[in-house]
């Protein structure tokens, strides 16, 4: 049976309904998306490895189980992809870096295991910025697979460091993907590519089997077409893991029976849209108008703390510790981006007292943000200051003149959750986004706010014309 091409951009909920009514099988869906990964993936530098044989075998078994009345849940039979920093047994795990392009780790990451346990069909490893951006890249071309290209305009960047997940979901190569965020690596590609992306609370999802960039800041989360899909995927991958000491001893369930419902109390940050691209500001104001139908607003200011400095220092010190071996071995000289070959030398020279002081400051940041956010269901801001920039110019050139609040650095160094959803289109017809940031382990509240926003708008239903 031929798969309706329109299903390339369908939500998980829609695909699940099609499977259960017998309109399509998991094998047919899997073949459909595998073909797209192979035929379209190279156009956007989105895919590192296609797992055709394994995927089709898994899909056939899942079809049999569903036919026998065994339903593993909403992801049963749904194809997906993961960022190539998650280990998959028997297949390369490259971390986006040339020295590791053929390296095979003989184990599955916890997230890969959980996806398969809940019936998802892993069909592809997806491209990423080398070493997840931890070497200090300043340009789009910082991966042996080439720059991540945006399906809305292939001359523009898809966003880092989860370039592949952003490009792949936006181009309809996979219905959803798993990305990672240490500082912006889910929010950025999700926003640039017009997707819904969820950064969970630090520790919500096990990182066993994932590349470590920053042991105290790394998070794994879903990139999907809808906020609701983000909740469904998080439900599959979240939870304690005795083999990951950083995984929180907290269960997760979506949807949450304790969802407070509207009206929601939302904080806006003073000046958050003052120095952003015009289209970003216009779409943010329009989003506030929509939110005003079911939310109550109050303007706040972030406490005066060194959020970005603390985040940068912790990340660079932990990345240097994690990857000292590639400096000593000389493999760092094989990195694609020129600046990635030398920055770590200075990071390795950072005094221990500076790192310790940054950790002490982080404790104060966490306390201050939790106190600030306690009266609210979320803080809302533009996700990014501008639409995706051109791939042939350094970041500092096309982002010049725009600044945002420190909520990105603050949220990541504090380890609190956020979700971004599409808010319209700005310069060059490229997507913009609005993000909701909340208290630790309040993902369901953020999803509820974003889900209601998407019920009142249709930006998440728009997709690029991909041939």
């Amino acid at each position: 049976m031929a798969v309706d091409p329109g299903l390339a951009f369908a939500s998980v909920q829609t695909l699940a309904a099609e499977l259960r009514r017998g309109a399509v099988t998991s094998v047919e869906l899997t073949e459909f998306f595998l073909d797209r990964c192979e035929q379209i993936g190279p156009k956007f530098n989105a895919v590192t490895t296609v797992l055709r044989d394994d995927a089709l075998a898994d899909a056939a078994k899942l079809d049999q189980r569903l036919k026998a009345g065994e339903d593993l849940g909403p992801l049963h039979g749904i194809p997906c992809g993961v960022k190539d920093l998650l280990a998959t047994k028997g297949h390369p795990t490259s971390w986006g870096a040339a020295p590791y392009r053929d390296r095979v780790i003989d184990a599955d990451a916890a997230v890969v295991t959980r996806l398969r346990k809940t019936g998802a069909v892993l069909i592809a490893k997806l491209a990423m910025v080398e070493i997840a951006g931890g070497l200090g890249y300043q340009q789009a071309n910082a991966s042996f697979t080439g720059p991540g290209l945006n399906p809305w305009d292939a001359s523009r960047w898809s966003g880092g460091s989860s370039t592949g997940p952003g490009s792949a979901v936006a181009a309809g190569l996979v219905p959803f993907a798993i990305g990672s965020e240490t500082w912006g690596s889910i929010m950025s590609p999700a926003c640039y590519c017009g997707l819904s992306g969820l950064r969970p609370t630090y520790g919500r999802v096990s990182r066993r089997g994932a590349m470590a960039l920053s042991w105290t800041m790394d998070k794994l989360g879903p990139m999907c077409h809808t906020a609701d899909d983000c909740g469904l995927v998080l439900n599959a991958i979240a939870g304690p893991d005795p083999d990951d000491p950083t995984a929180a001893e907290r269960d997760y369930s979506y949807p949450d029976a304790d969802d407070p419902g509207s009206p929601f109390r939302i904080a806006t940050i003073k000046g958050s849209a003052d120095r952003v691209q015009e289209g970003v500001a216009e779409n943010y104001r329009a989003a506030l108008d929509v939110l005003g139908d079911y939310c109550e607003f109050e303007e706040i200011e972030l406490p005066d703390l060194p959020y970005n400095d603390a985040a940068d220092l912790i990340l660079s010190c932990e990345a240097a510790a994690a990857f000292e071996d590639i400096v000593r071995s000389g493999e760092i000289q094989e990195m694609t981006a020129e600046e990635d070959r030398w920055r770590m030398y200075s990071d390795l020279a950072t005094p221990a007292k500076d790192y310790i002081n940054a950790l002490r400051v982080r404790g104060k940041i966490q306390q201050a943000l939790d106190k600030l956010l306690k009266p609210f269901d979320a803080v809302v801001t533009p996700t990014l200051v501008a639409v995706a920039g051109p791939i042939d110019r350094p970041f500092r050139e096309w982002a010049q003149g725009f600044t945002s609040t420190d909520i990105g650095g603050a949220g990541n160094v504090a380890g609190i959750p956020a979700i971004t959803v599409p808010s319209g289109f700005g310069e060059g017809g490229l997507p913009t986004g609005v993000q909701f940031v909340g208290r630790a382990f309040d993902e369901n509240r953020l999803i509820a706010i974003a889900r209601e926003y998407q019920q009142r708008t249709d930006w998440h239903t728009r997709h690029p014309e991909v041939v």
Side-chain angles (χ1 to χ4, degrees):
M1 184 186 302
V3 175
D4 180 353
L7 292 181
F9 302 96
S11 68
V12 168
Q13 290 275 35
T14 298
L15 294 174
E18 293 294 288
L19 279 166
R20 281 158 184 77
R21 74 182 184 89
V24 68
T25 66
S26 180
V27 167
E28 289 166 343
L29 271 184
T30 299
E31 285 183 324
F32 173 71
F33 283 107
L34 282 168
D35 289 346
R36 291 182 68 85
C37 283
E38 291 173 343
Q39 296 166 12
I40 301 173
K43 297 180 180 181
F44 301 108
N45 298 330
V47 180
T48 55
T49 306
V50 176
L51 313 178
R52 178 173 284 274
D53 291 343
D54 286 358
L56 288 173
D58 290 345
K61 292 175 184 177
L62 288 163
D63 280 334
Q64 293 172 0
R65 294 176 75 171
L66 193 60
K67 187 176 181 179
E70 186 181 0
D71 192 332
L72 300 179
L75 301 188
H76 188 123
I78 307 296
C80 68
V82 298
K83 187 175 180 178
D84 202 17
L85 52 59
L86 289 169
T88 49
K89 188 174 182 177
H91 298 285
T93 300
S94 73
W95 299 351
Y100 308 126
R101 64 191 307 163
D102 299 318
R103 184 263 315 274
V104 176
I105 299 172
D106 193 31
D108 280 334
V111 164
V112 171
T113 299
R114 290 179 178 182
L115 285 171
R116 286 177 169 150
K117 185 178 179 180
T118 53
V121 181
L122 180 59
I123 69 170
K125 305 290 292 295
L126 302 174
M128 57 182 283
V129 170
E130 55 193 0
I131 313 298
L135 303 182
Y137 74 115
Q138 296 296 320
Q139 54 180 305
N141 186 20
S143 172
F144 74 86
T145 53
L149 306 183
N150 196 314
W152 291 94
D153 179 347
S155 72
R156 303 293 186 115
W157 195 37
S158 62
S161 65
S162 303
T163 53
S167 297
V169 178
L173 310 185
V174 290
F176 73 90
I178 304 298
S180 72
E181 174 153 327
T182 307
W183 187 352
S185 293
I186 290 174
M187 296 288 110
S188 162
C191 178
Y192 283 155
C193 294
L195 303 175
S196 302
L198 175 65
R199 179 187 78 219
T201 306
Y202 174 81
R204 174 66 89 181
V205 178
S206 171
R207 295 174 299 140
R208 175 169 49 87
M211 186 202 87
L213 175 60
S214 171
W215 292 285
T216 66
M217 288 176 61
D218 293 344
K219 285 102 29 199
L220 299 171
M223 298 168 65
C224 308
H225 292 296
T226 70
D228 184 56
D229 282 359
C230 287
L232 296 175
V233 177
L234 184 62
N235 193 67
I237 64 175
D241 181 356
D243 295 320
D244 178 2
T246 69
E249 291 293 323
R250 298 176 70 122
D251 292 325
Y252 176 76
S253 179
Y254 175 82
D256 188 349
D258 296 327
D259 183 347
S262 59
F264 296 100
R265 293 201 66 207
I266 303 292
T268 60
I269 299 178
K270 184 178 181 180
S272 65
D274 285 355
R275 296 186 63 188
V276 301
Q277 216 168 49
E278 183 179 353
V280 172
E282 290 177 356
N283 293 345
Y284 174 64
R285 289 190 290 268
L288 293 182
D289 288 341
V290 174
L291 292 167
D293 290 339
Y294 65 99
C295 299
E296 299 170 351
F297 296 109
E298 181 178 330
E299 188 176 79
I300 62 170
E301 293 187 61
L302 290 178
D304 186 16
L305 291 166
Y307 306 104
N308 292 347
D309 289 341
D312 183 60
L313 188 56
I314 292 170
L315 194 165
S316 60
C317 286
E318 294 186 0
F323 289 99
E324 182 180 8
D325 60 328
I326 68 173
V327 175
R328 298 191 180 280
S329 70
E331 288 178 321
I332 197 167
Q333 298 305 316
E334 299 177 42
M335 296 300 158
T336 301
E338 181 179 354
E339 63 272 18
D340 284 352
R341 301 170 195 160
W342 54 260
R343 164 162 168 176
M344 188 161 283
Y345 290 94
S346 61
D347 292 340
L348 284 166
T350 303
K353 67 178 180 62
D354 291 352
Y355 174 67
I356 292 168
N357 283 332
L359 294 180
R360 293 176 62 236
V361 169
R362 173 162 59 193
K364 296 180 180 180
I365 288 172
Q366 289 171 320
Q367 292 176 353
L369 286 182
D370 193 63
K371 181 179 179 181
L372 180 72
L373 294 174
K374 189 174 182 179
F376 302 103
D377 294 302
V379 171
V380 60
T381 72
T383 306
L384 297 173
V385 298
V387 299
I391 60 171
D392 59 352
R393 294 173 60 194
F395 303 146
R396 64 179 179 274
E397 292 184 8
W398 54 262
Q400 203 168 35
F402 302 120
T403 59
S404 65
T405 68
D406 289 341
I407 194 64
N412 274 290
V413 75
I416 57 177
I419 189 169
T420 178
V421 293
S423 62
F425 297 91
E427 181 181 289
L430 293 164
T432 64
V434 61
Q435 70 172 334
F436 304 95
V437 184
R439 298 177 76 195
F441 301 104
D442 255 2
E443 289 91 351
N444 279 345
R445 196 165 299 201
L446 301 182
I447 295 169
I449 297 167
R451 187 178 60 218
E452 182 68 23
Y453 174 77
Q454 291 187 325
Q455 289 174 353
R456 297 164 184 261
T457 60
D458 68 352
W459 303 119
H460 60 289
T461 68
R462 313 284 184 92
H463 60 81
E465 294 298 325
V466 178
V467 180

